[in-house]
Amino acid sequence: MSTPGISLLGSSAILFEAPGETTLLTQQRIWALSREVAGWPETGEAVPGMNNLMLRFARPPRTLDALITRLKVAWEAAEPLPLDGRSIELDVTYGGEGGPHMADVIRHTGLGIDDIVALHTAPDYPVFALGSHPGYCYLGGMDPRLTTPRRQVPVLRIPGGAVSIGGSQTGVSASDGPSGWNTIGTTSAVFFDPAGNPPALFQPGDILRLRAVRVLR
Amino acid sequence: MIEILSDTALATVQDLGRAGSLGAGVGCAGAMDDLALIAGNLLLGNAQGDAAIEVQVFPFQLRFETRLSFALTGADCGATLDGMPLPPWWACTAEAGQVLRLGPPRRGALQASRAYLCLAGGVDVPMMLGSRSTQLRGAFGGFNGRALRRGDRIAAGPATAPLPAGGFGLEPAAIGLALECDRVPALRVLPAAEYDRYTATSQDNLWRAPWRITPQSDRYGYRLAGPALEPLAPIELRSHGIVPGVIQVPHGGQPIVQMRDAQPSGGYPKIGTIIDADLWRLGQAPIGSRVRFVRCSWDEAIAAAEENQRWIARAARLADLYRQHRAAA
């Protein structure tokens, strides 16, 4: 067991990274830490990531030592905070034009497309955090056999609804935009409404299920 | 009210950016050159963070439908009002029907890439999630969530301070806050989490090499070209929150600096982060030009932010004094 990583993101933010494997239990402690940190005077916004937390400064503190100590103490004290979310199912078409990088995932994992689809649709994916772009969620629970490195050069435009794998993570794109992940399928859903309250369809703690409606070879 | 006459895409409504929705996946957006936006607003007696139009493709033309005071800051685009030249970083009043034209940014030591058109009373678009900045990904904020097009008509809010006849100006921030290293614009950088996981040569190159801004650079990010930055061992990270200014290194080894339209999270290794106080300088650096990274400490980053604040306070004082003096005269 190593110690948490604490590093600077310039003068704008500080990044706290929990040690160990990516787990839901650790994420529940991150949610607890996020709730605690959100009330600190130097915090502009507490932003949970995948087993990590970014504290964006309201204004940068003059010195960092006291803040870093407080972060470490708060992490030690953080008890897992289970969030009871909703369960939402999305229909996915795997492969074909909507999954242009399926071949790369096949090549890297050594698995066939049917195995990849079976492994990818099996889990209940807990929403760990939102990020990347409006309404996008980072999911836990992908089968480690599907792990595929991010692309050497990011793709300039992938469409909304793209289902993709980046490293040991998977996710569904909420709108058109650039991405460094491998797109293996596509789905349709409205993930974000800026006038909504809250604006995002998913919240941390929700459960996402993927259902394969077509597999294109 | 103004009407856009250019087809030119990529001009957008921006303010100082959107805070507080990172946790919903919404990035900051906001002006690439925050000092130019603030200066333009100060000239007009607006609030510092009022929305303006950021122009980055030229020529750009618009017509004033009503009498309206405006300020132009950022890149010196040899602007003309009905053919009459305007000085850079200048505020004045246009009559109804007059046409404002911005040409390509002038070359030279102060060449910049983006111009800011501020309107007295601020650009009047709805506040979305706490900001008037255009959020292109997700298509909301700004003017209907998109870049401006020919025929768009844009309103200004109610102006509070009258502008002296003839207009007046401010010295560009690039003069008062110039920072260079070997005659190349310098950007101060705090090392980030993965800095120690790069080879000594790569670390050295980060600080010593001039980094060229490639044509694949925009409001989302600046892709730089230089010696490849190589990690000691391959790095795969879990996604985490990021900020504009973070210098990410994809597997190819050529760094990408995330800019104002950057997504709020990412997972590429990060070797450093340009401090907030210097990000405007990169936002104005032309495609094809070179920049240098200069390592700095936390104390130096805080001091740099304070220096920018002093520059803004001085500009505010000058603008107020000039307006009062002319009003009394």
Side-chain angles (χ1 to χ4, degrees):
Chain A
M1 187 75 181
S2 59
T3 53
I6 296 179
S7 61
L8 286 174
L9 283 160
S11 51
S12 312
I14 196 163
L15 179 65
F16 175 93
E17 296 178 88
E21 292 296 306
T22 308
T23 66
L24 183 56
L25 198 66
T26 301
Q27 191 65 17
Q28 290 172 337
R29 289 185 69 200
I30 288 288
W31 293 335
L33 181 68
S34 178
R35 196 166 282 192
E36 162 72 18
V37 162
W40 293 359
E42 50 276 90
T43 304
E45 187 176 0
V47 188
M50 293 294 278
N51 278 196
N52 52 55
L53 181 76
M54 179 174 81
L55 185 172
R56 175 120 198 199
F57 298 128
R59 58 174 300 177
R62 207 149 267 286
T63 58
L64 290 169
D65 291 353
L67 176 63
I68 289 170
T69 303
R70 216 168 345 125
L71 260 177
K72 288 178 178 165
V73 170
W75 174 248
E76 287 310 314
E79 295 288 339
L81 173 71
L83 297 174
D84 289 326
R86 301 157 304 158
S87 189
I88 298 171
E89 189 170 85
L90 299 180
D91 290 345
V92 180
T93 299
Y94 283 93
E97 268 180 39
H101 308 134
M102 179 63 92
D104 296 316
V105 177
I106 290 171
R107 195 175 312 119
H108 185 81
T109 61
L111 298 166
I113 187 167
D114 292 321
D115 294 330
I116 289 170
V117 171
L119 291 173
H120 199 253
T121 50
D124 283 338
Y125 292 109
V127 174
F128 274 32
L130 274 73
S132 174
H133 54 272
Y136 180 81
C137 20
Y138 289 112
L139 307 170
M142 189 179 77
D143 192 298
R145 283 170 285 183
L146 295 175
T147 297
T148 307
R150 290 177 180 84
R151 305 190 65 74
Q152 292 272 331
V153 176
V155 180
L156 289 176
R157 194 160 207 83
I158 64 163
V163 177
S164 56
I165 292 174
S168 59
Q169 298 170 224
T170 190
V172 184
S173 165
S175 59
D176 296 4
S179 170
W181 289 25
N182 303 284
T183 299
I184 59 168
T186 184
T187 184
S188 62
V190 177
F191 295 90
F192 190 82
D193 171 10
N197 185 22
L201 170 64
F202 288 99
Q203 302 299 316
D206 287 346
I207 299 291
L208 173 65
R209 283 200 56 88
L210 300 174
R211 196 163 63 114
V213 288
R214 289 176 80 187
V215 179
L216 303 174
R217 283 151 233 276
Chain B
M1 188 75 84
I2 60 171
E3 184 186 349
I4 305 299
L5 302 180
S6 301
D7 272 326
T8 328
L10 304 179
T12 51
V13 175
Q14 301 292 344
D15 58 12
L16 292 176
R18 189 168 276 111
S21 294
L22 299 171
V26 182
C28 319
M32 292 281 273
D33 181 349
D34 50 345
L35 293 176
L37 177 101
I38 289 170
N41 280 325
L42 290 175
L43 282 168
L44 294 168
N46 289 349
Q48 286 186 18
D50 275 353
I53 298 172
E54 182 182 275
V55 185
Q56 52 182 357
V57 176
F58 305 93
F60 186 80
Q61 285 193 85
L62 59 96
R63 182 190 298 117
F64 291 91
E65 295 193 354
T66 49
R67 186 171 200 268
L68 187 62
S69 295
F70 68 96
L72 269 180
T73 56
D76 176 2
C77 297
T80 57
L81 186 63
D82 268 2
M84 200 181 71
L86 298 174
W89 289 60
W90 194 257
C92 61
T93 301
E95 300 300 330
Q98 286 195 304
V99 171
L100 179 69
R101 183 181 189 281
L102 281 65
R106 285 190 171 155
R107 297 183 174 279
L110 289 180
Q111 186 180 348
S113 316
R114 293 179 170 82
Y116 293 84
L117 172 68
C118 296
L119 305 178
V123 169
D124 187 18
V125 294
M127 192 78 104
M128 298 291 280
L129 296 176
S131 165
R132 294 188 167 86
S133 286
T134 311
Q135 171 65 36
L136 292 173
R137 183 137 192 205
F140 65 91
F143 189 85
N144 297 335
R146 61 165 171 81
L148 301 179
R149 295 198 284 253
R150 180 200 292 261
D152 285 344
R153 297 172 68 237
I154 295 152
T160 50
L163 200 66
F168 70 118
L170 280 169
E171 183 186 78
I175 296 172
L177 292 171
L179 188 68
E180 293 192 338
C181 181
D182 292 340
R183 283 181 292 175
V184 167
L187 309 164
R188 284 164 287 194
V189 168
L190 279 161
E194 284 73 60
Y195 177 79
D196 290 330
R197 294 165 70 178
Y198 281 81
T199 65
T201 307
S202 294
Q203 291 176 351
D204 213 41
N205 282 335
L206 178 69
W207 309 121
R208 285 170 191 266
W211 293 95
R212 186 171 55 80
I213 298 167
T214 71
Q216 275 190 317
S217 298
D218 55 21
R219 285 185 45 88
Y220 287 97
Y222 274 34
R223 295 185 185 214
L224 307 181
L229 300 174
E230 290 165 351
L232 295 163
I235 303 173
E236 279 286 333
L237 299 175
R238 296 181 282 209
S239 296
H240 57 77
I242 59 170
V243 296
V246 70
I247 307 166
Q248 297 180 324
V249 186
H251 302 300
Q254 297 291 297
I256 300 177
V257 182
Q258 296 294 332
M259 299 301 281
R260 295 288 175 197
D261 277 346
Q263 53 184 52
S265 61
Y268 283 121
K270 53 214 170 296
I271 197 165
T273 310
I274 298 169
I275 64 173
D276 221 33
D278 282 357
L279 204 52
W280 66 276
R281 197 174 287 116
L282 182 59
Q284 287 291 17
I287 303 280
S289 71
R290 286 170 167 74
V291 293
R292 284 280 297 269
F293 293 128
V294 176
R295 186 170 184 164
C296 85
S297 67
W298 179 256
D299 288 349
E300 287 164 338
I302 297 297
E306 288 171 348
E307 192 188 2
N308 283 15
Q309 283 307 316
R310 278 196 300 275
W311 185 90
I312 292 168
R314 183 170 169 274
R317 221 161 39 239
L318 283 171
D320 283 349
L321 272 175
Y322 196 84
R323 196 176 293 104
Q324 285 162 19
H325 175 75
R326 293 294 294 257

